[in-house]
Amino acid sequence: MGKKRSREADGQGDLPMEDPAIQRKSDDDDDDSSDEDMDIVNVDFELFNYDPQIDFHGVKTLLRQLFDADAQLLDLSALSDLIVEQNTIGSTCKVDDKANDAYAFLTVLNLTEHAPKKPAVAKLAAYLAERAQGDEGLAASGVPELLSNPGKKQVGLVLAERLLNMPAEVIPPMWSCLIDEIEAAVEDGEPYQFTHYLVVSRGYHEVESTLDQSERKQKKAREEAELQYFHPEDEELRRHAASSGAYPFAREGEVVADSRRAFQELGVKPCGLMMLIEAGKFQRAVQAMAEYVGTGGMTMSTST
């Protein structure tokens, strides 16, 4: 199956995106600094089809980041192989050249198709089902059952991750391409006619240091912590989800939050995030996410 992205991008196999201007400003500059004080760096982001000869290690690294402390519970090598071999669905985002490692990736896996045949996918589905069971909203909406018995519904498991310093504005085109690719796959009779999409992502809670704190204070801090997002688009996607919920990583303790506290009063405790979106609402969810995040022509300010 040919990618719709290829036909829409003047017949090219990759999709160049608008050059985001990244502004870097000295800490010594005040808010009234003129434009002459800014250094503008143009970065060309491009979307590529998966290439098994190039993308295995980059995808595996991003999967490890996605599943955080629980990555060791999964067969990331087999999952990476499956993702890069499924090279007409999903894409990588890179800078400069196709031969470089991916800065971001996005794909969808058919659980009904792969879980019975691929042990790595079956293990991932079982892991997510167990994690979903611990969240009241996900459990009540039947997400654990969807994952444990994927044959009852056609569930598309959406996996996406990017480097933490990647601008969010480059992400919506990846999702738009994914929708086009799924439509083309369905037209070609491939098994991508889903009833639901389950998006797996990450969030975090800000928690006070556990050092020199009583157990009561630690419990209160955990209860009051509000979910924060590593990826701002997740906040919009949740608004379109039939069900969503965050879950703690099975192998992460609060000591990790202290180790990541770096120069803050609050530590960062990562957690998993699942969002179940009905297929009929998926395209609108992606459109809303693009409107929320914005695309192209953006600027990102960082201090040096």
Side-chain angles (χ1 to χ4, degrees):
M1 180 196 71
K3 301 192 79 171
K4 278 185 178 277
R5 181 169 70 240
S6 298
R7 294 193 288 271
E8 292 171 354
D10 297 326
Q12 300 301 314
D14 56 83
L15 176 65
M17 304 173 65
E18 289 192 34
D19 299 352
I22 301 177
Q23 297 183 348
R24 293 185 171 86
K25 183 170 69 170
S26 169
D27 290 334
D28 296 331
D29 295 340
D30 57 32
D31 293 337
D32 296 327
S33 296
S34 66
D35 291 342
E36 287 76 16
D37 294 328
M38 300 286 189
D39 291 330
I40 306 299
V41 179
N42 290 324
V43 180
D44 293 330
F45 291 100
E46 293 183 278
L47 304 187
F48 292 94
N49 296 344
Y50 290 103
D51 187 327
Q53 302 300 317
I54 297 173
D55 293 320
F56 171 82
H57 292 291
V59 168
K60 185 177 179 180
T61 296
L62 290 170
L63 282 174
R64 187 180 296 114
Q65 178 177 294
L66 174 63
F67 292 106
D68 206 272
D70 287 353
Q72 57 190 308
L73 301 176
L74 305 170
D75 188 347
L76 298 188
S77 292
L79 289 173
S80 299
D81 275 331
L82 178 59
I83 290 170
V84 299
E85 289 168 2
Q86 188 178 270
N87 63 357
T88 59
I89 295 291
S91 54
T92 61
C93 183
K94 301 181 180 182
V95 173
D96 293 334
D97 189 82
K98 180 180 180 179
N100 292 331
D101 284 341
Y103 281 41
F105 87 96
L106 172 67
T107 195
V108 60
L109 302 177
N110 187 327
L111 289 184
T112 305
E113 181 80 7
H114 293 304
K117 306 173 184 177
K118 306 283 188 181
V121 178
K123 180 183 287 189
L124 174 58
Y127 162 79
L128 292 173
E130 180 184 4
R131 296 289 90 199
Q133 193 64 53
D135 180 85
E136 183 177 348
L138 292 171
S141 63
V143 171
E145 288 73 25
L146 282 176
L147 290 162
S148 300
N149 302 289
K152 292 185 176 181
K153 300 285 185 179
Q154 293 291 321
V155 181
L157 182 65
V158 180
L159 301 176
E161 186 57 293
R162 65 177 182 269
L163 299 182
L164 292 179
N165 60 348
M166 278 281 289
E169 288 84 349
V170 305
I171 301 305
M174 299 181 72
W175 288 79
S176 297
C177 285
L178 181 66
I179 289 177
D180 289 342
E181 292 155 5
I182 291 172
E183 290 177 352
V186 172
E187 290 174 2
D188 290 346
E190 297 184 23
Y192 293 96
Q193 185 74 54
F194 300 118
T195 60
H196 297 79
Y197 292 89
L198 183 65
V199 182
V200 179
S201 189
R202 293 188 308 145
Y204 66 93
H205 295 96
E206 291 181 338
V207 296
E208 292 186 18
S209 170
T210 59
L211 302 176
D212 303 321
Q213 281 196 7
S214 67
E215 182 178 346
R216 181 179 177 183
K217 286 184 178 180
Q218 294 175 30
K219 182 178 180 181
K220 183 178 180 182
R222 288 194 296 268
E223 291 174 347
E224 294 178 351
E226 181 180 352
L227 179 66
Q228 306 292 329
Y229 302 94
F230 284 115
H231 308 319
E233 64 269 21
D234 289 342
E235 184 173 7
E236 183 61 30
L237 288 177
R238 287 193 77 182
R239 296 190 178 101
H240 298 265
S243 178
S244 65
Y247 59 90
F249 290 118
R251 308 198 66 167
E252 182 165 56
E254 289 192 11
V255 63
V256 176
D258 275 328
S259 69
R260 299 182 183 185
R261 192 176 60 230
F263 311 113
Q264 299 186 78
E265 291 295 326
L266 296 176
V268 171
K269 183 178 181 181
C271 62
L273 174 64
M274 282 185 256
M275 297 167 280
L276 183 68
I277 304 175
E278 296 173 2
K281 299 180 179 179
F282 188 62
Q283 184 167 0
R284 176 56 194 147
V286 171
Q287 291 172 347
M289 178 256 283
E291 293 166 2
Y292 179 76
V293 174
T295 59
M298 56 77 178
T299 60
M300 183 174 66
S301 299
T302 60
S303 299
T304 58

